[in-house]
Amino acid sequence: MFDHLLLLSPVLLFLPLVITVPSPGGAPPTPCRRCCDDLELQKGPPAPQTGDQKSGLNQMPEVRTYINMTILKGDKGNRGDRGTPGKSGEEGATGSRGPMGPKGTKGQVGPPGDTCKTQEAAFSVGRRKSLHSVDYYQALVFDTEFVNLHGHFDMFKGKFNCYVPGIYFFNVNIHTWNFKETYLHIMRNDKEQAIVYAQPSERSIMQSQSLMLPLELNDEVWVRLYKRERENAVYSDDVDVYITFNGYLIKPTLE
């Protein structure tokens, strides 16, 4: 046994002396640990040492600070100011048409209108005598007055004078003469608007023409006979009225 001690003595003599040397600043700081810290975190197998840890046994222990954020949470702050509105988005697709709503109640009756402002015009005249055209242009004059509202139709000239501008309807009816040509125009001022025509024939017939015209103030509408190489004539007698000229206002320009 002594022999064994002799063999181990050199080894014991060269064992390094492990001495804990305090740091130059004083005693080494002791890690602070709260009682509420989870001690289980320190359990488990020791981490393997690196080369530096094996060689430097006098290194300071690592101190890790743990802050519990739940105890540092402050009170809820005031609500901030409202931000500026954002940009408008893209326009959406047009929706489908909704159902029709219920019918509303009937409104009250309005006040009566001013009779002085009522705009109207109408006439109806006829001729009981036959007429042969003696000139190239000749106005057809009438001798019978059926309706002449406000006297707008001049019986002496055979012309309707427009005192109420607007849209008018006109109609002329004539009876042809045997073996004679019938050639007339409905005139607006000096411009032909529509024709009434019948070729010479053994039989006389009734001819008619109608139209609507827009008239301005002081326009004239009348019927004109036109003579060519052949004789132009219209027929009538004292018993019956074969020739009539009618017109009335449909819609005034200003209501």
Side-chain angles (χ1 to χ4, degrees):
M1 180 166 183
F2 181 76
D3 295 336
H4 290 289
L5 293 174
L6 292 177
L7 293 174
L8 294 174
S9 58
V11 178
L12 295 175
L13 293 176
F14 291 95
L15 286 175
L17 181 62
V18 178
I19 301 174
T20 302
V21 181
S23 61
T30 303
C32 180
R33 187 173 60 195
R34 297 181 300 174
C35 61
C36 59
D37 292 341
D38 190 4
L39 299 178
E40 295 298 329
L41 297 176
Q42 299 180 358
K43 295 181 179 182
Q49 295 182 348
T50 62
D52 296 337
Q53 291 176 341
K54 293 179 180 180
S55 60
L57 298 177
N58 296 330
Q59 292 181 354
M60 296 295 295
E62 182 179 2
V63 178
R64 297 183 178 182
T65 303
Y66 175 80
I67 300 176
N68 188 355
M69 299 301 296
T70 59
I71 65 176
L72 299 180
K73 184 176 180 181
D75 297 334
K76 184 177 180 180
N78 297 329
R79 185 174 181 178
D81 298 334
R82 185 175 182 179
T84 56
K87 296 181 179 180
S88 300
E90 297 181 358
E91 185 176 355
T94 303
S96 57
R97 185 175 181 179
M100 182 179 294
K103 185 178 180 180
T105 58
K106 186 177 181 179
Q108 299 179 353
V109 179
D114 189 355
T115 56
C116 297
K117 295 183 179 179
T118 303
Q119 297 178 325
E120 53 190 8
F123 72 92
S124 179
V125 294
R127 182 180 176 93
R128 294 181 180 272
K129 296 180 181 180
S130 301
L131 178 64
H132 288 75
S133 178
V134 296
D135 200 350
Y136 285 102
Y137 299 109
Q138 181 178 352
L140 182 59
V141 180
F142 300 87
D143 53 27
T144 303
E145 182 180 276
F146 299 107
V147 175
N148 191 6
L149 195 60
H150 307 303
H152 291 178
F153 189 88
D154 189 338
M155 295 294 293
F156 181 75
K157 294 182 179 180
K159 295 182 179 181
F160 169 75
N161 299 293
C162 177
Y163 294 103
V164 183
I167 306 298
Y168 283 79
F169 173 83
F170 295 98
N171 165 262
V172 61
N173 300 282
I174 57 96
H175 191 277
T176 65
W177 202 312
N178 296 7
F179 304 104
K180 295 181 180 180
E181 186 178 43
T182 302
Y183 197 158
L184 301 92
H185 282 105
I186 300 177
M187 306 289 294
R188 177 188 175 188
N189 300 325
D190 295 328
K191 180 67 176 177
E192 300 90 346
Q193 302 297 317
I195 188 174
V196 184
Y197 180 77
Q199 292 181 346
S201 175
E202 296 180 358
R203 298 178 58 186
S204 61
I205 59 173
M206 292 292 299
Q207 291 285 84
S208 178
Q209 181 66 279
S210 303
L211 78 164
M212 288 190 294
L213 292 174
L215 299 184
E216 303 291 340
L217 184 63
N218 297 324
D219 278 350
E220 294 181 334
V221 180
W222 51 291
V223 180
R224 186 190 71 181
L225 279 76
Y226 176 61
K227 181 181 178 182
R228 299 194 295 179
E229 293 79 7
R230 292 177 290 192
E231 187 176 9
N232 185 11
V234 289
Y235 176 82
S236 188
D237 57 36
D238 296 336
V239 179
D240 296 314
V241 178
Y242 289 87
I243 305 170
T244 59
F245 184 31
N246 313 283
Y248 57 87
L249 175 66
I250 297 176
K251 184 179 184 301
T253 302
L254 298 176
E255 295 183 351

